Amino acid sequence: MSTAERVLQIALPWLDPRRSLASAIGWMLAVLAVVGAIVASTWVGNLARHRLEAQTGALYRQYAVQISNVLDNNLYNRQQWVAGLARVFAPGMPVVEQRSFLERVRQSLPEVEWVGFVDLNGRVRAASGGALEGSDVTHTNWFIAGRREAFIGQARVGDSLEGAPVTAERSGLHHVLELSAPVRDSQGNLVGVMAAFLSWEWAARLESTLSEGLKTGRPIETLMLGRDGIVLFGPGALPGTRPAMPTGFKPGAAGQFVARWSDGIDYLSGYSVSDGVDAFPGLGWTIVVRESAVSAFADAEAFSRHLFVVLLVLGLMGAAVGIVITNRLTRGLASIARAADDIRQGNTASLTVPDGLDEAARISHSLALLLDDLARERASLKSLNAELDARVMARTRQIERMSDENKYAAVVRERLRMARDLHDTLAHSMMALLTEIRLLRKLSETNPARLADELANAEAVARQGLEEARVAITALRFNAVRDIGLGPAIRQLLERCEERLGIPVSFRSDAVVETLADARAENVYRIVEEALHNVGRHARATRVAVEVDVAVAANAAAGAADGHGDVLVVAINDDGIGFDPGLTPPGHYGLAGMREQAELIGARVTIASAPGRGTSVAVTMTL
């Protein structure tokens, strides 16, 4: 075995919390340390994230406000520049000189894509490079507004003139701003409109200038959206597109939010809407300064991870110290546990009590007293066991005697049952045969002519008695109830009865009755059999009905001796001549036999009858 395996073999039992209280406490402290580190780092991380979101979002919103102000000032200056150009422009110069003047102006400002002079009829009279000269711009916004005052507006991306047909001369113009101002002569009369288009180069240069002004060292992005939602400048392929603005953006105000944009990335964003400067109302452009949430909250996530590691290390160190301290405190308990193991294994019979007043000393003292008490109790139990052995031997002999008595009682019960069977078969048949013989003796003296008919009757009675004797013998050899159940056995009995008596016999039973097949069910069967024999011999009935049900004891209290459990209820009803149950003729033992069999199984037989009203026999037995 290697050193590592030996160390592991020694350490594993010590680390098992089921074997060591110190190990259990250590594991508990370790789990608490991990859970505490997770909860604390998560809570502090979320708190840092919220604060960072509020502070950085406010910073980006302020950036957006600053950019918006710079943008408004820039646009206002461009508007004033066009107004100043309109004031110095000489409308009376020849077109060639006007074109040359405008071209020099355009070249002095690289962001100016086109500059031109439009007469009062809406025709471009002179323009830089001659572009759009002769074009009708009557329906453009910048011409209509420029006749009244200095105007600046956003152009549709990709178009040069609103409502004007696209010509070859101006098909290459793709500007972002349209500026115009009225041109007046020396007397102050309106003579035309000065117009200029600012190209996308102006927007790109403005974006570069603004981005350099936001030297934060963070990967932030700046977007400028027109009033129509089209990105005028921004990163990547966003310029010229109209992205769906995320939840949290409120047009017409400044604010901040964290939300997912149309590119599927979450951004921390601050925004501001242009509101103009002085008399210039602004173009309603929106400046958005944003940073991806992953980058914006990276510091908070890193701080949360570092805090988790620190708390986890401190917690595990605390757990280790707790294990050491607990191990020292539980040395007394460990010695008690080892002594208890020795006592259980039989290596010793006493427990050493350590000195002191702590819990371990008190537990050891109490266990020592318990061991002394157990030793005394064990001695008492030995003497008691010897006495109980003697009593058990005496009781065994008594039980053996009682067993012999039970066997004798069983023989007596079997004799009674055979006596009842003989009464049900041979006794009835012999009585009928005796009656026929007496009748024959009288007829031999009074009416010999009837001897032949009565002899035939006597023969039939003797044959019936023989058949019943055979059935009784067969019943002694074959037990229908034990073999097929109480319900099927009664059903077969009724079929034989119906065939013998020649009257209709109906039968209805509960499903539970079908499975009863014990000794008590066999006695119930005998009682039903005796009742049907009495119907055949005495009732002169035209109809017999047998019903076997299982009812709740509360609903059949007449048959439940203790009032608990289910009750088996058997009812045999006929419409015969009836009799008085209080008057039993001498020599008739059928009813007495039924009651005897019922008493053997704890059942009760109830007979209700009256002369001319039929007979009802009910057997109730608690299952």
Side-chain angles (χ1 to χ4, degrees):
M1 182 182 297
S2 64
T3 304
E5 292 177 345
R6 287 196 297 271
V7 172
L8 188 62
Q9 185 177 6
I10 296 173
L12 283 179
W14 185 75
L15 294 175
D16 190 350
R18 297 171 297 179
R19 297 187 178 186
S20 172
L21 179 60
S23 177
I25 294 176
W27 281 112
M28 180 187 67
L29 292 176
V31 171
L32 290 177
V34 173
V35 173
I38 293 174
V39 172
S41 61
T42 302
W43 178 73
V44 174
N46 289 336
L47 182 62
R49 180 187 176 98
H50 290 320
R51 290 187 176 180
L52 192 61
E53 176 182 342
Q55 295 174 358
T56 307
L59 179 62
Y60 288 169
R61 180 184 61 191
Q62 186 61 33
Y63 285 167
V65 171
Q66 293 177 6
I67 295 173
S68 177
N69 293 335
V70 172
L71 177 64
D72 287 338
N73 288 326
N74 195 291
L75 294 176
Y76 178 71
N77 292 334
R78 292 296 183 270
Q79 185 186 53
Q80 295 302 311
W81 173 80
V82 173
L85 181 61
R87 287 194 297 269
V88 301
F89 183 75
M93 287 190 305
V95 174
V96 175
E97 294 181 8
Q98 291 177 346
R99 184 184 305 124
S100 176
F101 172 76
L102 296 176
E103 180 63 25
R104 289 195 303 273
V105 171
R106 189 193 68 81
Q107 292 178 358
S108 64
L109 294 175
E111 66 268 22
V112 177
E113 185 177 25
W114 178 87
V115 60
F117 171 68
V118 183
D119 60 21
L120 293 178
N121 296 323
R123 291 286 179 178
V124 179
R125 182 177 178 184
S128 59
L132 301 180
E133 288 184 356
S135 299
D136 184 5
V137 295
T138 306
H139 302 290
T140 60
N141 290 333
W142 55 266
F143 174 74
I144 297 173
R147 298 181 61 177
R148 297 190 304 269
E149 57 185 354
F151 167 81
I152 183 170
Q154 177 184 337
R156 292 187 301 180
V157 178
D159 290 344
S160 57
L161 297 174
E162 288 189 0
V166 179
T167 63
E169 290 83 3
R170 58 184 179 82
S171 60
L173 298 179
H174 301 285
H175 55 281
V176 66
L177 288 178
E178 298 171 341
L179 301 92
S180 62
V183 179
R184 301 181 185 277
D185 58 13
S186 58
Q187 286 77 31
N189 297 319
L190 179 66
V191 296
V193 174
M194 180 62 65
F197 297 162
L198 294 187
S199 67
W200 281 98
E201 293 180 2
W202 168 81
R205 187 160 51 254
L206 180 60
E207 176 188 10
S208 176
T209 302
L210 296 177
S211 299
E212 291 179 359
L214 299 177
K215 292 181 178 179
T216 61
R218 306 179 65 91
I220 62 176
E221 299 174 348
T222 304
L223 289 76
M224 185 171 71
L225 289 76
R227 194 187 301 272
D228 55 3
I230 295 178
V231 179
L232 301 180
F233 65 75
L238 283 177
T241 64
R242 183 185 284 108
M245 297 305 292
T247 303
F249 175 76
K250 298 179 180 179
Q256 62 195 65
F257 60 89
V258 177
R260 179 161 299 179
W261 286 64
S262 57
D263 57 0
I265 301 176
D266 292 335
Y267 289 93
L268 171 60
S269 306
Y271 66 93
S272 176
V273 179
S274 170
D275 57 359
V277 58
D278 293 337
F280 173 58
L283 298 181
W285 289 356
T286 301
I287 304 299
V288 179
V289 179
R290 70 181 189 179
E291 180 183 3
S292 67
V294 175
S295 173
F297 302 129
D299 293 341
E301 296 294 335
F303 176 74
S304 178
R305 290 193 297 269
H306 294 161
L307 181 63
F308 170 75
V309 173
V310 171
L311 293 177
L312 180 62
V313 172
L314 293 177
L316 294 179
M317 291 175 61
V321 173
I323 293 175
V324 174
I325 296 175
T326 306
N327 190 41
R328 281 182 170 273
L329 295 176
T330 57
R331 284 179 179 178
L333 294 177
S335 63
I336 295 173
R338 288 192 296 270
D341 291 337
D342 293 336
I343 293 173
R344 179 176 55 83
Q345 296 172 2
N347 298 330
T348 182
S350 61
L351 182 66
T352 303
V353 180
D355 297 332
L357 298 176
D358 59 1
E359 290 82 356
R362 295 201 300 271
I363 292 174
S364 299
H365 181 70
S366 299
L367 289 178
L369 295 177
L370 287 175
L371 287 176
D372 294 339
D373 293 341
L374 287 175
R376 289 192 296 270
E377 293 293 337
R378 185 177 297 176
S380 300
L381 285 175
K382 285 184 179 180
S383 61
L384 182 60
N385 285 336
E387 182 181 353
L388 288 176
D389 289 340
R391 292 183 180 181
V392 168
M393 293 179 63
R395 184 59 57 88
T396 301
R397 290 191 294 269
Q398 183 180 0
I399 291 174
E400 289 176 353
R401 290 194 301 270
M402 293 176 64
S403 176
D404 294 337
E405 294 175 359
N406 288 335
K407 290 180 181 178
Y408 177 75
V411 172
V412 171
R413 286 196 298 271
E414 186 63 20
R415 288 176 179 175
L416 290 175
R417 188 181 67 81
M418 294 178 66
R420 287 193 297 270
D421 290 341
L422 290 176
H423 167 267
D424 294 341
T425 57
L426 294 179
H428 288 292
S429 299
M430 295 301 294
M431 183 178 296
L433 185 60
L434 179 61
T435 302
E436 289 294 331
I437 291 173
R438 288 175 179 173
L439 180 60
L440 288 173
R441 289 181 60 184
K442 290 182 180 181
L443 290 176
S444 64
E445 297 175 358
T446 61
N447 191 2
R450 292 182 55 191
L451 286 177
D453 294 336
E454 293 301 328
L455 285 173
N457 292 336
E459 182 181 3
V461 170
R463 185 180 299 108
Q464 182 179 358
L466 179 60
E467 181 64 25
E468 290 179 350
R470 288 175 177 173
V471 171
I473 294 172
T474 301
L476 293 174
R477 297 174 60 87
F478 172 72
N479 192 330
V481 176
R482 294 296 182 96
D483 293 340
I484 62 177
L486 178 60
I490 294 178
R491 190 176 291 108
Q492 290 183 0
L493 175 64
L494 295 179
E495 291 175 356
R496 294 195 300 271
C497 179
E498 186 175 25
E499 182 179 353
R500 186 177 73 252
L501 299 179
I503 60 176
V505 179
S506 63
F507 176 63
R508 184 181 63 80
S509 68
D510 194 290
V512 180
V513 179
E514 304 292 322
T515 60
L516 298 178
D518 55 2
R520 302 176 72 200
E522 185 177 353
N523 279 27
V524 172
Y525 175 82
R526 296 297 180 190
I527 295 173
V528 175
E529 186 179 34
E530 176 63 26
L532 293 175
H533 279 309
N534 291 337
V535 171
R537 295 188 183 95
H538 309 296
R540 302 178 190 174
T542 60
R543 185 175 66 256
V544 179
V546 179
E547 297 181 356
V548 185
D549 294 311
V550 175
V552 180
N555 298 330
D562 56 0
H564 295 84
D566 294 336
V567 174
L568 177 69
V569 181
V570 183
I572 305 100
N573 302 310
D574 67 74
D575 61 350
I577 60 176
F579 68 100
D580 185 357
L583 300 176
T584 302
H588 291 268
Y589 304 104
L591 298 180
M594 292 167 61
R595 291 191 175 95
E596 288 176 359
Q597 293 192 71
E599 291 176 358
L600 290 176
I601 59 176
R604 184 165 67 177
V605 176
T606 303
I607 300 174
S609 181
R613 296 185 179 181
T615 303
S616 176
V617 179
V619 183
T620 54
M621 178 184 69
T622 303
L623 294 177

